[in-house]
Amino acid sequence: MKQIEFIDVSKNLSGRLILNSLNFAVSRGEFFSLLGPNGAGKSTVMNLTLGLRRPDSGKIQVFGMNPREKKVKLKMTCTPQDLSFPLLLTVLETLSLVASHYAEKKSIEELIELLDLKEILYRKTGGLSGGEKRRLGLACALIGNPEILILDEPTTGMDIESRQRLWGILKTLSAQKTTILLTTHYLEEVEELSSRVLMLDHGKTLFDGSVQQIKSKVSYRKVILKIVDLAVPRAKTLEHFQKLAGTHRVEDRDTLWTIWTLNSDLWLEEFFQDPLPFKDLIVEESSLEEAFLEFQKNAYR
């Protein structure tokens, strides 16, 4: 069942085309991430989905309805990138205020436990740190048991432990068939959580599929090793690596060298026929960030 659908959607802001005939659909229970550089149209997609803006052309449906309808808004919540709360209310008062808007709601006590809010419960929101505001914002978003949860940079300002705790919560929500729409600058977050990724640039779709599908489109592997003979000149080492079969790109940091290749087996076979003195050799997949940058570069060749 399609819960979010964009059909030939275009949007101009301040005379600039932000979205250009964009098409995609999100099904119930998908963990759907939007990727793209600043200005790619990610925030505009979220605002249109929330009914905060109208498209200039095309059609948007959420639960098969106009996203501006009240029925839709009661089943969809958001944690925006820029969070603000009534400064003089405590965390508990803020949660109670949000809960008062819903007939069917989650237990505030459950959310306090889930998001580790007990220690800040009686503090005024004006004195919260960035990470604490993030946790409160997510608690507010979850109070109404949303069927669609929209998250704009949800872990900005969080420490590693809090971020991983949030990842666990989001995985549980996704397993319970909550549809989640995410934007984030932490690409490891996308790798960890997403079932599907829409890659945007200049308001158009560069790619729509899984993380693994993105990686397979740019199927470079990395050979990483340390050169231990410092008497070997850098230029000679670089020339040696560049002549090996399948070398795509070479990067060095002091004695640590990284070689991107489409065929790591063939590359290693040739390397071991005439190896340079080395240690700590490993072979690994490219990261999502590297695949994204390579994919973006290839798309405009």
Side-chain angles (χ1 to χ4, degrees):
M1 175 185 174
K2 296 176 182 177
Q3 288 196 326
I4 302 171
E5 191 170 14
F6 275 53
I7 305 166
D8 291 327
V9 172
S10 293
K11 182 65 182 176
N12 287 273
L13 291 173
S14 302
R16 187 166 69 93
L17 185 62
I18 304 298
L19 298 181
N20 187 359
S21 298
L22 184 63
N23 289 276
F24 70 89
V26 183
S27 299
R28 181 174 181 263
E30 278 195 289
F31 202 123
F32 186 83
S33 290
L34 291 169
L35 281 183
N38 289 335
K42 304 185 300 296
S43 294
T44 301
V45 168
M46 289 195 159
N47 288 332
L48 288 166
T49 303
L50 289 163
L52 299 176
R53 293 188 182 274
R54 302 176 190 265
D56 293 325
S57 62
K59 186 177 183 180
I60 301 169
Q61 290 191 314
V62 180
F63 305 114
M65 296 178 280
N66 187 315
R68 299 174 73 89
E69 291 190 26
K70 185 177 179 180
K71 288 181 181 179
V72 172
K73 293 182 179 295
L74 287 173
K75 297 193 290 184
M76 178 171 58
T77 55
C78 172
T79 58
Q81 186 172 351
D82 297 317
L83 287 166
S84 62
F85 303 98
L87 299 180
L88 298 181
L89 291 186
T90 66
V91 168
L92 180 58
E93 288 169 340
T94 302
L95 291 172
S96 300
L97 176 63
V98 174
S100 69
H101 290 80
Y102 294 96
E104 297 182 14
K105 55 198 135 190
K106 280 186 179 292
S107 157
I108 289 179
E109 290 74 19
E110 177 187 350
L111 291 170
I112 290 169
E113 180 66 28
L114 183 67
L115 288 155
D116 193 25
L117 299 174
K118 190 173 182 180
E119 290 186 4
I120 63 171
L121 208 53
Y122 299 103
R123 283 171 53 191
K124 288 183 168 58
T125 64
L128 299 180
S129 69
E132 289 165 345
K133 286 181 179 178
R134 290 282 160 200
R135 284 186 280 140
L136 174 56
L138 184 58
C140 291
L142 294 178
I143 282 176
N145 280 312
E147 293 184 37
I148 296 175
L149 177 62
I150 297 180
L151 304 170
D152 192 1
E153 303 290 344
T155 59
T156 299
M158 285 187 175
D159 57 34
I160 293 175
E161 183 179 349
S162 297
R163 186 177 299 160
Q164 290 179 338
R165 182 186 180 111
L166 177 61
W167 288 358
I169 293 168
L170 296 179
K171 285 178 181 178
T172 299
L173 290 170
S174 183
Q176 294 169 349
K177 295 300 182 183
T178 301
T179 302
I180 300 175
L181 181 60
L182 169 75
T183 69
T184 177
H185 282 97
Y186 299 114
L187 294 186
E188 72 271 22
E189 204 157 80
V190 176
E191 287 196 79
E192 180 74 21
L193 299 171
S194 299
S195 56
R196 187 166 148 229
V197 177
L198 179 68
M199 189 186 297
L200 289 174
D201 197 17
H202 294 88
K204 288 188 172 183
T205 300
L206 285 183
F207 184 82
D208 184 352
S210 69
V211 170
Q212 285 306 315
Q213 285 173 325
I214 290 178
K215 287 183 173 181
S216 71
K217 291 286 184 181
V218 189
S219 53
Y220 296 108
R221 296 177 71 82
K222 294 187 293 186
V223 180
I224 303 170
L225 72 165
K226 289 182 179 179
I227 298 300
V228 296
D229 187 352
L230 300 182
V232 179
R234 179 189 177 280
K236 182 179 178 181
T237 302
L238 178 62
E239 180 184 359
H240 183 84
F241 288 147
Q242 287 177 333
K243 73 180 182 180
L244 298 178
T247 295
H248 171 69
R249 180 160 63 94
V250 182
E251 181 182 284
D252 73 302
R253 293 181 182 175
D254 296 325
T255 61
L256 185 68
W257 289 78
T258 303
I259 300 92
W260 280 263
T261 173
L262 286 169
N263 190 330
S264 56
D265 292 337
L266 179 59
W267 192 94
L268 289 168
E269 183 179 332
E270 288 199 6
F271 173 72
F272 283 119
Q273 289 174 9
D274 183 23
L276 297 173
F278 73 94
K279 67 176 183 178
D280 300 336
L281 187 150
I282 60 173
V283 179
E284 61 183 38
E285 284 187 339
S286 294
S287 68
L288 175 60
E289 181 175 15
E290 290 161 338
F292 171 66
L293 293 173
E294 194 67 35
F295 192 96
Q296 189 180 34
K297 181 175 69 177
N298 292 340
Y300 293 106
R301 280 179 176 171

